[in-house]
DNA sequence: TGATACTCATTCGCATACAAATGAAAAATG
DNA sequence: CATTTTTCATTTGTATGCGAATGAGTATCA
């Protein structure tokens, strides 16, 4: 059946950005970033924290690999690593087997700053999920993972 | 009861960034932005689309008000509006009653670009939620709204 | 009315985020 | 072994995103 002119014209007025997933995803992320920044003591951003935490798990590794593991673009991870190196949390060294690679590893300060902020990171997670009950949290995390 | 040395040292290794909400929220948002960019034809970003859509609902309005309605910082909405003005989608005019305000409104081109892309925006929403069943979508949106 | 507080828009600095291009090095292919 | 393809790191350009500061205009209220 062909749609009438009214039907097609009525489509636009019914659209509301503030009911779309994207609108909520952006805001939820914003809220989490704010909560994290507030909880963390050492001026670390969420991405910097991700890079540090992941690096601890998989070090030593190349810059691009760390980017892939933390879902960051090559240009993005470059900037993040640069700032972490500048602050003395991450050390770089040339790879003897591969002339292209830069091998990343945590410094003592890096390990220390992670240890000092794990608690705060967990508090941030808790704060972000605070509006949800225990059951809702499990359900939410499950569904959220599915759309990643 | 005092925690043993082992307990305290075991705390850090148990932490995994890639199991935290923040990690998923960032990725889910990334995926949606990518899907949106792919679906939309007129090189509009998700934030630009939000601004345009919301402006259509509440125009005429001040720049800061549009920012509040779309959950954007004053500095952020400034840049977004500037680009939309530059492309001829939004018009600015001084407020006669309030010397500080800049009154925003949609141009003909702005209205046209909205009309031309509402369908694509819905496709993007659909694509983002594609991994979920109909029931899961409702549940997810409900929970997501709670943590905004 | 006059001091104070608030709001609006702008600007600066910093930190993601991605597309796209580049050059160097390694891997895969014939 | 030489060509092609990949991979790695870097750089440029554009677009959010927020904190903080500023100046201009408005509102409040003593």
């Amino acid at each position: 059946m062909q749609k009438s002119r009214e039907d097609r014209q009525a489509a636009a007025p019914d659209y509301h950005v503030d009911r779309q997933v994207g609108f909520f995803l952006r805001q939820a992320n914003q809220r989490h970033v704010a909560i994290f920044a507030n909880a963390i003591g050492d001026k670390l951003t969420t991405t910097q924290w991700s890079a540090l935490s992941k690096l601890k798990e998989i070090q030593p590794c190349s810059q691009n690999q760390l980017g892939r593991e933390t879902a960051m673009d090559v240009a993005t991870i470059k900037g993040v690593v640069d700032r972490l190196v500048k602050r003395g949390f991450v050390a770089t060294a040339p790879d003897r087997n591969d002339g292209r690679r830069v091998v990343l590893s945590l410094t003592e300060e890096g390990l220390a700053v992670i240890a000092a902020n794990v608690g705060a990171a967990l508090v941030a997670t808790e704060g972000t999920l605070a509006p949800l009950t225990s059951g809702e949290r499990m359900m939410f995390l499950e569904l959220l993972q599915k759309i990643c």
Side-chain angles (χ1 to χ4, degrees), chain A:
Chain A
M1 192 208 292
Q2 177 134 23
K3 277 186 178 175
S4 70
R5 197 172 62 82
E6 289 77 0
D7 282 343
R8 267 178 280 126
Q9 290 208 340
D14 282 354
Y15 179 85
H16 293 284
V17 229
D18 47 13
R19 288 180 201 166
Q20 309 297 315
V21 224
F23 197 79
F24 295 135
L25 282 175
R26 191 175 117 262
Q27 278 189 82
N29 192 46
Q30 274 177 16
R31 177 167 165 271
H32 170 70
V33 169
I35 290 174
F36 185 90
N38 205 266
I40 228 75
D42 289 296
K43 295 265 185 190
L44 290 168
T45 65
T46 53
T47 42
Q48 288 170 0
W49 177 253
S50 292
L52 283 176
S53 304
K54 202 70 198 175
L55 186 53
K56 187 182 176 189
E57 287 179 32
I58 63 175
Q59 77 175 144
C61 74
S62 75
Q63 186 176 281
N64 278 11
Q65 189 192 342
L66 184 59
R68 282 192 297 272
E69 298 274 356
T70 53
M72 292 184 213
D73 192 65
V74 285
T76 303
I77 192 67
K78 168 83 164 72
V80 174
V81 167
D82 279 355
R83 284 168 217 116
L84 292 175
V85 168
K86 199 175 183 182
R87 292 177 64 181
F89 297 150
V90 171
T92 61
D95 188 327
R96 298 191 182 283
N97 302 50
D98 192 330
R100 300 165 300 180
R101 280 189 173 143
V102 172
V103 179
L104 303 180
S105 58
L106 289 171
T107 62
E108 286 298 321
E109 290 82 4
L111 283 167
V113 85
I114 290 177
N117 289 286
V118 174
L122 290 171
V123 166
T125 293
E126 161 68 26
T128 300
L129 294 173
L132 305 182
T133 67
S134 179
E136 287 176 332
R137 294 181 191 197
M138 294 189 63
M139 173 68 77
F140 178 68
L141 284 176
E142 198 177 314
L143 299 177
L144 183 58
Q145 281 187 68
K146 285 192 182 181
I147 66 159
C148 280

